[in-house]
Amino acid sequence: MTGNRLKEHQSFETFWPYYLQEHAKPATRTMHYIGTSLVVAIAAYAVVTASWPWLLAMPLAGYFFAWLAHWRIEKNRPATFTYPLWSLFADFKMWGLWLTGKLKPELQKAGIVDP
């Protein structure tokens, strides 16, 4: 981890490979998929049932699994502490690419080789 990560990434294009490297272990990504899927499910449930208080559970569901993965599996600091919006966008980008089967080339471009 570097001292001042704020100056490292001036664009999402440079942040994205960094984000993937911070999620190099498949188990870390799996925990993120669980959290992001729960966020989407909670949002859908809240909208369909007009149960708006459920929206308050979204950050808890998403961040719980993500942060647990970083601290226990990846052993690094979540990028969301330094790059909150880019990290949120990257979470959904990674999730979408995973759902569509298009994540592997992105991981390879970032220098990550999955077993």
Side-chain angles (χ1 to χ4, degrees):
M1 195 164 28
T2 60
N4 187 355
R5 292 169 24 168
L6 282 173
K7 293 185 179 181
E8 287 184 25
H9 304 288
Q10 299 300 317
S11 69
F12 184 78
E13 290 70 30
T14 66
F15 174 75
W16 175 241
Y18 161 78
Y19 175 89
L20 291 176
Q21 291 163 3
E22 293 291 295
H23 299 78
K25 295 182 181 177
T28 301
R29 292 192 302 274
T30 297
M31 293 289 281
H32 276 67
Y33 304 149
I34 292 168
T36 304
S37 296
L38 279 172
V39 165
V40 171
I42 290 167
Y45 176 81
V47 169
V48 169
T49 64
S51 301
W52 308 119
W54 273 99
L55 296 175
L56 298 173
M58 289 170 46
L60 178 63
Y63 288 126
F64 173 78
F65 289 97
W67 291 355
L68 185 63
H70 284 286
W71 291 321
R72 298 290 184 161
I73 299 167
E74 202 73 44
K75 308 280 191 222
N76 62 17
R77 184 175 184 257
T80 193
F81 294 150
T82 308
Y83 302 98
L85 293 178
W86 284 350
S87 182
L88 179 64
F89 183 70
D91 281 341
F92 280 98
K93 180 176 179 174
M94 182 173 71
W95 182 71
L97 290 169
W98 169 70
L99 283 176
T100 59
K102 297 178 181 176
L103 183 59
K104 190 171 185 172
E106 294 291 317
L107 293 171
Q108 291 170 337
K109 279 193 271 184
I112 299 162
V113 179
D114 260 348

